[in-house]
Amino acid sequence: MRYRVTLFLLVISTVLFIRIYLLEKQDAEKNSPVSDSIGLFGPNILDADRLELKGTALGEDEERLLRKKGNSQWQIEKPMNWPANFYIVNQVLNQIQFLPKEYSFTVNSILKAGKTLADYGLQEPRLELTLGWGEKHQVVAFGHPSEIGNRTYLLGPDRKKIYAIGQQLETSLLSKLELWRSQAIFTIPVIEIGSFSLEINDSGSLTKIRLEKTGDAWKLEAPIKANADTSLVNERINVLQGVKALGFLRGKDGQEAKEALLTPLIRITLNGATQRQTLELAEPLEEGKPFLYAKFDAYPTTYFIVSGDPFDNLQQAQTYFRQKQFLDFELAKVSNIRIESDESQVSLQKLEQGDWQVQETGEARWIQAENPVVQKLLEFLATAKALSFPHDAPSQADLQRLGLESPLRTVTLSRGQNEKAISLLFGQTESGETLYAKLADNPFVYEVDQSMMEQLEPTPLHYRDRRLFPDNPIPEGATLKELKVTTFPDATILLSYPWEKGDSKDNAPTTPDALVDPVVKELEKAKVALVLDLSNHIRDLSVKDFSIQGFNEKYFEVQTGKNAWQYQIDAIYKLPEGNDPPEQKLTLLLTERISGTVQGGGHAKSRTAFNLKQETIDQLRKILPAANPPPEYRKPLKEEPLETPANPKN
């Protein structure tokens, strides 16, 4: 008896447990967000591999068929063959998956009420959506807008139930075809692209160009082997990756594009690690259209248009992508420079500490060079660029005609014992209109800017240290003992320091009891300051440049003519104790100011003539008595005073 009671209680407990479980499950499903969706196609919406749209709402020839490929990317197969816009396809699938359950009724209920599917626009629906999973598929149909605002009637895949759903899904499905298509063309990741090929049709003549990447650098491999401008190639590949299809062509326009692309203007191929992609371009048959016809190799029957801007200069790709810098060397490794012309030459060499020195003309003696000038020369050569590439395989006759057999300049850069010297030749044709350059061990001839000749000065004076006394400067501790400015050659004293009697009306009084005019005292201080400033300036004088003509006892000679010496400056400095001799003297000859920025100077002891720097010219202007303004100076016109009108009579 007791056993039967226990068994009965166990059965009752099991039934109650099952009942509670079912109630909780039902309640959970009510509260679950998934249960609020219609679930028309089941829970595996995102696993669908086919999406098809048809119906009058799409318009003529606008039915769409999309399939998912092996790489999880969707592709449009109808009305054209082209990759689909990944984002809009996934947006549609998500809208289907989470379609909210708001209002529904059965087909049987409307039939009993005396209505038909036609009353809801579902007998011949405006739009049908088909989703497929392999061989299986399901279809839903969209009908009229419902009586409830902003909703549309939808017939479920079992054709037994009608739903009133929001219009967001229908709006997405009816989006313009342009939105369903991916605009991207080249899709190989930039980092994977290892070669870049072009076939260019120039009036029936086909040129094939191939660029290959080695490490981080691009090189031209065909039709010639040469360095490419890596930054320019990378930039253009990035531009090509951003090319978009602006519109797709069908019917008459598609036929026109097909005919034009039978003889493409350019064929571009990007090669990646595992795939290659080719784009063909042709000009429209009708001139003046701001686009190009295009066809992509993966979709050979699909024709579209692209902007022509990303393809500018590609018809000249052989020269456009070619490296314009024809010298490749590290500045720090250059140890010797030699520049030769028919009439002169200059040799420069770098010392161990990094300073440069230049060999004097006709002598074995080396003197200090102006480091910034030599550095500027090297930087100029390292960055020099070709304007064009007139010859890649010149004959002996070509070299003779271009003046490269007897070059105007030969520049040789040595880079130590372990590296071959670089020898660069410059020549001109007889007309002299164009300057050409060529590396001695390279067949290529480059057209370069005419101004290069101005930078390749073959005279040692151009490179020597601009300091007038680099080897025997006046020590810092030296003080000015005397300074005299006289006319040249008659030696009339214009200024003498310390002041001698008769030098100035403003001499300091000779007796300590005499009154000193404050104005005179200030003028005297200013005059002394100017003299001392000048003496400090010329003791370690740095000039603008040296005259190639050299020093002459009577005049300063430049290309524009001869200018007589007008002034002589003699300065004596008392050297710090311990120096032998105890004093040092320097003498300079000066011309008048030739122009606002030009004044000549000479130093007889070093046999050099030179142009003064602007700061020196300005200092001399302050110190030379009655110094005239530069020749080009013009006094400003006087403004006529305005006439005061007479007072009107009252």
Side-chain angles (χ1 to χ4, degrees):
M1 185 69 179
R2 194 176 292 175
Y3 172 76
R4 292 180 180 176
V5 172
T6 303
L7 183 60
F8 176 74
L9 291 174
L10 181 60
V11 172
I12 294 297
S13 299
T14 303
V15 171
L16 288 173
F17 176 78
I18 294 173
R19 180 62 176 168
I20 293 170
Y21 171 77
L22 292 174
L23 289 173
E24 287 182 350
K25 183 179 180 182
Q26 184 178 0
D27 186 58
E29 289 178 351
K30 286 184 178 180
N31 295 325
S32 170
V34 176
S35 67
D36 286 336
S37 64
I38 295 175
L40 297 177
F41 297 98
N44 56 346
I45 299 297
L46 299 181
D47 292 335
D49 59 13
R50 187 171 83 257
L51 188 153
E52 188 173 359
L53 291 173
K54 59 183 179 179
T56 56
L58 289 168
E60 188 177 358
D61 297 327
E62 288 291 319
E63 293 185 356
R64 300 166 198 179
L65 173 61
L66 292 81
R67 292 185 189 275
K68 187 190 289 185
K69 298 301 180 179
N71 55 3
S72 297
Q73 294 294 317
W74 285 84
Q75 184 165 318
I76 301 173
E77 292 188 356
K78 192 178 180 180
M80 86 284 295
N81 195 15
W82 194 256
N85 185 330
F86 173 82
Y87 299 101
I88 195 167
V89 174
N90 277 274
Q91 173 186 319
V92 166
L93 293 177
N94 278 290
Q95 286 178 338
I96 295 170
Q97 186 175 25
F98 299 106
L99 201 62
K101 182 193 297 183
E102 295 179 351
Y103 177 68
S104 65
F105 48 89
T106 64
V107 174
N108 285 335
S109 66
I110 67 167
L111 294 176
K112 289 178 181 179
K115 293 187 177 182
T116 65
L117 290 176
D119 294 320
Y120 296 89
L122 296 169
Q123 187 66 43
E124 296 180 1
R126 299 181 304 112
L127 178 66
E128 286 187 346
L129 165 64
T130 302
L131 284 184
W133 295 264
E135 296 181 358
K136 298 178 181 180
H137 70 276
Q138 293 183 359
V139 183
V140 295
F142 292 79
H144 296 321
S146 69
E147 292 84 355
I148 306 172
N150 298 323
R151 285 173 174 77
T152 299
Y153 291 120
L154 181 139
L155 181 62
D158 58 3
R159 302 187 67 83
K160 293 180 180 180
K161 205 167 188 179
I162 299 173
Y163 303 87
I165 65 169
Q167 294 180 343
Q168 294 89 343
L169 175 59
E170 183 181 3
T171 301
S172 297
L173 294 173
L174 293 177
S175 297
K176 290 184 178 179
L177 184 59
E178 286 76 7
L179 297 177
W180 284 81
R181 293 184 299 234
S182 171
Q183 286 190 310
I185 299 174
F186 289 110
T187 57
I188 302 175
V190 173
I191 195 171
E192 292 185 11
I193 297 174
S195 66
F196 174 22
S197 301
L198 294 162
E199 291 184 17
I200 300 165
N201 187 345
D202 184 9
S203 302
S205 176
L206 190 65
T207 302
K208 295 184 178 182
I209 298 168
R210 189 175 81 257
L211 297 104
E212 290 191 3
K213 193 174 186 180
T214 305
D216 292 330
W218 283 92
K219 294 182 179 295
L220 270 167
E221 293 295 332
I224 61 168
K225 287 184 177 291
N227 290 330
D229 188 327
T230 295
S231 61
L232 201 58
V233 176
N234 285 334
E235 177 187 328
R236 183 50 59 97
I237 288 175
N238 281 316
V239 170
L240 291 176
Q241 292 283 43
V243 171
K244 307 293 184 184
L246 302 181
F248 290 78
L249 307 174
R250 289 180 286 173
K252 180 182 177 182
D253 292 336
Q255 185 60 35
E256 181 179 321
K258 181 179 180 180
E259 292 176 11
L261 285 161
L262 291 175
T263 53
L265 182 68
I266 305 174
R267 182 180 284 111
I268 304 167
T269 301
L270 299 182
N271 293 288
T274 59
Q275 59 178 320
R276 59 182 294 174
Q277 296 178 337
T278 299
L279 177 68
E280 295 182 5
L281 303 169
E283 291 181 328
L285 301 180
E286 183 181 336
E287 294 183 2
K289 290 187 177 180
F291 55 79
L292 296 173
Y293 291 138
K295 181 178 71 171
F296 201 52
D297 63 337
Y299 315 104
T301 60
T302 300
Y303 303 98
F304 53 97
I305 58 173
V306 294
S307 169
D309 294 342
F311 310 99
D312 285 346
N313 303 312
L314 288 188
Q315 286 183 280
Q316 294 80 40
Q318 182 177 337
T319 55
Y320 178 72
F321 287 124
R322 193 163 170 180
Q323 178 58 264
K324 309 297 188 298
Q325 290 182 213
F326 46 85
L327 286 176
D328 183 17
F329 64 91
E330 293 183 39
L331 274 66
K333 288 188 176 181
V334 177
S335 56
N336 293 81
I337 306 171
R338 187 174 182 84
I339 303 175
E340 302 172 78
S341 70
D342 290 338
E343 300 176 352
S344 61
Q345 64 182 34
V346 60
S347 294
L348 297 145
Q349 68 178 13
K350 186 163 64 173
L351 302 175
E352 289 185 2
Q353 68 271 27
D355 290 331
W356 285 86
Q357 59 181 8
V358 58
Q359 189 174 26
E360 287 192 312
T361 304
E363 300 183 22
R365 190 168 79 96
W366 292 80
I367 60 174
Q368 191 166 338
E370 186 82 357
N371 289 331
V373 174
V374 181
Q375 187 68 19
K376 181 180 178 182
L377 170 66
L378 288 173
E379 290 173 355
F380 172 78
L381 290 170
T383 57
K385 292 185 177 182
L387 299 179
S388 66
F389 306 91
H391 293 279
D392 289 326
S395 64
Q396 202 70 23
D398 290 329
L399 296 177
Q400 186 70 39
R401 178 176 54 83
L402 300 175
L404 292 167
E405 285 289 287
S406 302
L408 297 174
R409 293 281 192 283
T410 301
V411 181
T412 305
L413 305 178
S414 300
R415 299 174 289 171
Q417 297 180 351
N418 298 326
E419 294 194 54
K420 188 177 180 181
I422 298 172
S423 187
L424 183 63
L425 315 176
F426 292 88
Q428 283 182 321
T429 57
E430 290 184 1
S431 64
E433 295 178 356
T434 307
L435 181 65
Y436 300 96
K438 178 187 177 297
L439 288 163
D441 59 353
N442 192 308
F444 304 142
V445 174
Y446 312 99
E447 179 190 348
V448 296
D449 195 286
Q450 292 269 20
S451 64
M452 285 198 73
M453 294 299 288
E454 300 171 8
Q455 304 294 328
L456 304 174
E457 183 59 56
T459 56
L461 281 177
H462 178 75
Y463 302 96
R464 66 162 286 180
D465 195 317
R466 296 296 198 266
R467 291 176 298 166
L468 192 57
F469 318 110
D471 300 324
N472 189 27
I474 296 171
E476 287 187 10
T479 56
L480 180 66
K481 181 181 179 181
E482 295 180 17
L483 186 141
K484 187 177 290 186
V485 180
T486 59
T487 59
F488 185 89
D490 55 7
T492 301
I493 296 176
L494 300 175
L495 182 147
S496 180
Y497 175 87
W499 317 132
E500 297 178 2
K501 289 184 178 180
D503 282 351
S504 171
K505 295 179 181 180
D506 302 322
N507 283 334
T510 57
T511 62
D513 297 332
L515 294 175
V516 179
D517 187 334
V519 175
V520 172
K521 188 174 182 180
E522 289 301 317
L523 289 173
E524 190 71 16
K525 285 182 179 180
K527 189 176 180 182
V528 171
L530 288 173
V531 170
L532 294 178
D533 283 348
L534 179 63
S535 70
N536 285 330
H537 186 75
I538 64 174
R539 69 193 295 168
D540 189 22
L541 185 64
S542 182
V543 304
K544 183 179 180 181
D545 53 49
F546 291 93
S547 171
I548 297 175
Q549 286 77 12
F551 180 80
N552 185 284
E553 301 287 350
K554 296 182 179 181
Y555 52 78
F556 174 71
E557 185 176 3
V558 290
Q559 291 181 347
T560 55
K562 300 175 181 178
N563 295 270
W565 301 119
Q566 295 292 329
Y567 305 105
Q568 179 172 315
I569 297 179
D570 295 289
I572 300 175
Y573 296 87
K574 184 178 180 181
L575 305 183
E577 291 185 11
N579 282 277
D580 186 23
E583 296 179 349
Q584 190 169 332
K585 180 180 180 180
L586 69 85
T587 299
L588 299 176
L589 293 178
L590 304 171
T591 66
E592 285 281 10
R593 194 172 185 174
I594 299 171
S595 72
T597 59
V598 178
Q599 187 169 2
H603 186 236
K605 190 174 181 180
S606 64
R607 309 302 296 173
T608 56
F610 43 84
N611 282 301
L612 297 172
K613 286 186 174 181
Q614 188 63 45
E615 55 187 301
T616 308
I617 296 173
D618 294 340
Q619 287 233 359
L620 292 171
R621 165 105 174 107
K622 297 174 184 176
I623 202 70
L624 292 176
N628 295 320
E632 66 268 26
Y633 175 78
R634 296 289 183 270
K635 288 184 178 181
L637 296 174
K638 280 188 176 182
E639 293 186 7
E640 296 294 333
L642 296 174
E643 295 184 4
T644 305
N647 292 329
K649 294 181 180 180
N650 295 331

